[in-house]
Amino acid sequence: MSFYDAVVPAYLQMLNSLTGLLTKAEAHCEAKKIQPEVLLGSRLYPDMLPLSKQVQLVSDFAAKGCARLTHSEVPSMPDTEKTFGELKQRLAKTIDYVKSFKPAQFDGADAKDVTFPAGPDRSITMTGQQFLSSFSFPNLYFHAATAHGILRHNGVEIGKRDFLGVS
Amino acid sequence: MSFYDAVVPAYLQMLNSLTGLLTKAEAHCEAKKIQPEVLLGSRLYPDMLPLSKQVQLVSDFAAKGCARLTHSEVPSMPDTEKTFGELKQRLAKTIDYVKSFKPAQFDGADAKDVTFPAGPDRSITMTGQQFLSSFSFPNLYFHAATAHGILRHNGVEIGKRDFLGVS
């Protein structure tokens, strides 16, 4: 199997399931007369990132993961989204971007070195497999699960099946 | 690279980082005079699983993932842990179990079919790669990140670097 199969479907699963979570969150706001920006600004603790930023980070880790692993130009998206609709549009754009990669672009990428920034003044170099396993996946799932946790904590009726995208 | 490299280091990273999170949580309880069972029973919402169960599930998804992918006997651990020490012991046992697998046991496992239960009365069959990407990883990271979210929400001073195991 190609390394592509270890990367792209996993990213797409989270981008799609997060889109579904946002759809349910938006409906919840409408049903309960909650201002969307209140839920989008919710956090699990005052010094944690709000829901909107968790979504933007999932988008970033997926897009940048594809770019770094294929040694393509790393895309940068400004974090300007202020509504559920805009965040879902960002996820849709990210899905299109991730889908634009071809399996052949990932051939041998598991063993090739990837260098990426880790903080403002240092970078890390590791193999593509290590980058995926120890950095990209844990970060991507961390922010997706934290988004789920914020919504769940605020009473949105979702569950792990929504997170997995199988509901 | 072997499929082993796509599986075992990722499981071990989460088992180890979760051990670190529990160590900080236990110290937090001592410092703040919080009864450990209060934090271990904390949830992000009343119908969500408590911290202790989130930890047990991370242990399960790692151990069972290794077993299913290598077509070994699937281990079963009773969820009897009631203290931080017992949960850390469970994680330590799981780490030993995961480390007991040899890379050769995973050779070709990405393309081989895996059948696993999905609910009480149905099972799913997919390739090892699909099982890892679409089921094992999202579940493992979901419960680890939810454990992190519960601790963070309760004021334990941890962050994503602890979740990644790089602090």
Side-chain angles (χ1 to χ4, degrees):
Chain A
M1 304 187 74
S2 160
F3 188 52
Y4 176 93
D5 299 311
V7 179
V8 169
Y11 288 166
L12 289 176
Q13 180 182 14
M14 280 300 111
L15 294 166
N16 280 310
S17 72
L18 196 50
T19 303
L21 291 177
L22 294 182
T23 298
K24 290 199 176 180
E26 195 174 11
H28 177 86
C29 286
E30 278 166 25
K32 304 283 181 188
K33 313 283 179 223
I34 293 167
Q35 293 190 324
E37 57 270 32
V38 173
L39 196 49
L40 289 167
S42 292
R43 308 162 192 258
L44 289 180
Y45 203 69
D47 67 354
M48 279 183 84
L49 297 170
L51 175 60
S52 56
K53 184 69 181 175
Q54 306 289 348
V55 175
Q56 288 158 345
L57 282 164
V58 172
S59 159
D60 272 355
F61 279 106
K64 293 185 179 180
C66 284
R68 293 196 198 286
L69 285 168
T70 58
H71 301 265
S72 311
E73 199 187 332
V74 177
S76 172
M77 295 192 223
D79 292 339
T80 52
E81 296 83 7
K82 301 237 172 294
T83 65
F84 282 108
E86 286 170 5
L87 284 168
K88 284 166 69 179
Q89 236 172 359
R90 167 139 178 195
L91 291 174
K93 243 188 246 176
T94 312
I95 288 168
D96 285 345
Y97 175 75
V98 170
K99 281 186 177 169
S100 75
F101 287 85
K102 304 280 170 264
Q105 292 179 265
F106 287 85
D107 286 352
D110 51 340
K112 237 181 266 175
D113 273 353
V114 170
T115 298
F116 59 100
D121 53 0
R122 81 191 181 106
S123 65
I124 296 178
T125 298
M126 44 175 73
T127 66
Q129 178 64 67
Q130 287 169 333
F131 167 76
L132 182 71
S133 297
S134 72
F135 182 81
S136 176
F137 275 164
N139 273 291
L140 179 97
Y141 290 114
F142 176 88
H143 292 292
T146 302
H148 172 276
I150 292 170
L151 292 174
R152 202 68 171 69
H153 179 64
N154 279 281
V156 181
E157 292 194 358
I158 51 172
K160 193 171 70 173
R161 291 177 59 81
D162 295 286
F163 175 81
L164 297 173
V166 295
S167 69
Chain B
M1 301 188 76
S2 160
F3 189 51
Y4 175 93
D5 299 313
V7 180
V8 169
Y11 288 166
L12 289 176
Q13 181 182 11
M14 279 301 112
L15 294 166
N16 280 311
S17 72
L18 196 49
T19 303
L21 291 178
L22 293 182
T23 297
K24 290 199 176 180
E26 195 175 12
H28 178 86
C29 286
E30 279 167 24
K32 304 283 182 187
K33 311 286 179 221
I34 294 167
Q35 293 188 327
E37 57 269 33
V38 173
L39 197 49
L40 289 167
S42 292
R43 309 161 193 259
L44 289 179
Y45 203 68
D47 66 355
M48 278 184 84
L49 297 171
L51 174 61
S52 56
K53 185 69 181 175
Q54 306 289 350
V55 176
Q56 288 158 346
L57 282 164
V58 173
S59 158
D60 272 356
F61 279 106
K64 292 184 179 180
C66 284
R68 293 198 198 284
L69 286 168
T70 59
H71 300 266
S72 311
E73 198 187 332
V74 177
S76 171
M77 295 193 223
D79 291 339
T80 53
E81 295 82 7
K82 301 236 172 293
T83 65
F84 281 107
E86 286 169 7
L87 285 169
K88 283 166 68 179
Q89 235 170 3
R90 168 140 177 193
L91 291 174
K93 244 189 244 176
T94 312
I95 288 168
D96 285 345
Y97 176 75
V98 170
K99 281 187 176 169
S100 74
F101 286 86
K102 304 280 171 262
Q105 292 178 268
F106 287 83
D107 285 353
D110 51 341
K112 238 183 265 175
D113 272 352
V114 170
T115 299
F116 59 99
D121 54 0
R122 80 188 184 108
S123 65
I124 296 179
T125 298
M126 46 175 73
T127 66
Q129 178 65 67
Q130 288 168 333
F131 166 76
L132 182 71
S133 297
S134 73
F135 182 81
S136 176
F137 275 164
N139 273 291
L140 180 97
Y141 290 114
F142 176 87
H143 292 292
T146 303
H148 172 274
I150 293 170
L151 292 174
R152 203 67 171 68
H153 180 64
N154 279 281
V156 180
E157 292 194 358
I158 51 172
K160 193 171 71 173
R161 292 179 59 82
D162 296 286
F163 175 82
L164 296 173
V166 294
S167 69

